[in-house]
Amino acid sequence: MPTRFPLFLIFTIAASGQVAAADTTSMCLDQSGTEDTQCQCATDTLAEKIGEEDADIYNAVGVLYLDGKANGQEEEAAWDAAIETVAGQNDTDQADLLERMNAAREAHDEAITSCK
C-alpha cells in the first residue's frame, strides 16, 4: 500500500505551481536534444498520467536531483540521494518511494518521446 505524504508537503509544492512544474520540465531539458515545447508537453502529459500527488512528489525529487547533478554527483547517485532525502523528510519508506518515482521517471521518458 502506498504511503501518503503529509498534506503540508503537497501544499507547499503545489503552492509553487509553475516552479514545481518547471522542475519536471527542467529534468527534460537536462536531456540532450530536447526543446522547450517538447518538455512542457511532456510535463503536462506526465501529470495527467501519474496523478497530482505523484507529480508533486516527482517534482520534489527533481529539485534535489538536479541540484545534486549541478553539484557534481553522477546521475544515479543524484537520483538515489534525492529519493533518500524526500523519503526521510516525509517519514516514507524509501524502497516504496524509489519504486513509485522510478515508475514516474519511466512515464516521463515515455512522455518526452511521445511529445517529439
Side-chain angles (χ1 to χ4, degrees):
M1 174 161 80
T3 303
R4 291 301 199 205
F5 280 79
L7 286 177
F8 78 88
L9 172 67
I10 293 171
F11 289 139
T12 300
I13 294 168
S16 58
Q18 287 290 61
V19 173
D23 299 323
T24 297
T25 302
S26 296
M27 285 191 289
C28 173
L29 289 169
D30 189 54
Q31 298 181 22
S32 177
T34 56
E35 300 176 0
D36 288 336
T37 55
Q38 176 188 8
C39 290
Q40 187 56 56
C41 170
T43 296
D44 296 341
T45 301
L46 177 66
E48 290 175 16
K49 183 169 185 170
I50 67 173
E52 185 177 341
E53 181 180 352
D54 276 358
D56 287 343
I57 297 165
Y58 186 71
N59 283 318
V61 170
V63 169
L64 298 170
Y65 163 74
L66 290 172
D67 185 55
K69 282 186 65 181
N71 286 305
Q73 286 183 310
E74 295 293 325
E75 186 173 319
E76 186 175 338
W79 183 255
D80 290 343
I83 295 291
E84 181 179 354
T85 299
V86 171
Q89 289 172 339
N90 296 288
D91 196 29
T92 303
D93 182 83
Q94 187 174 338
D96 289 342
L97 181 62
L98 179 62
E99 184 177 327
R100 285 172 63 193
M101 292 302 100
N102 281 346
R105 196 175 193 186
E106 288 176 24
H108 191 203
D109 288 342
E110 290 170 8
I112 292 167
T113 300
S114 73
C115 287
K116 282 188 178 179

